[in-house]
Amino acid sequence: SPQTPHRHRRPPTHQPVNQPGWAVQLAKLATATVVVPAAGKLDRSATVSAQYAGSLFEQTVMLLGDALFHSLWLRSGQTADELWPRHSNLE
């Protein structure tokens, strides 16, 4: 029977994302930041949103990403046909 290769795990060289302060460190690298005040993935209290878990956050990030893309596209002056070769389709 085939054996599963043994993998050595290296100790993490960075601070885990769920630790306090990671967002502040990441924000210091950015020229602009956007704070999305939405319920966290594990918040099921329905105080921020009646939606399940992190759905409100995910939807907000999707809208912000789309708005950012549209703004950058308008600035570029390119047509949709010029952008098409670089289009990524996740369907």
Side-chain angles (χ1 to χ4, degrees), residues 39-55:
K41 170 165 106 169
L42 300 176
D43 181 5
R44 293 179 293 282
S45 65
T47 55
V48 176
S49 172
Q51 294 180 341
Y52 180 74
S55 296

Side-chain angles (χ1 to χ4, degrees), residues 57-72:
F57 174 79
E58 292 162 357
Q59 291 166 4
T60 303
V61 169
M62 175 72 175
L63 288 171
L64 285 172
D66 197 43
L68 177 62
F69 166 79
H70 191 74
S71 177
L72 292 171

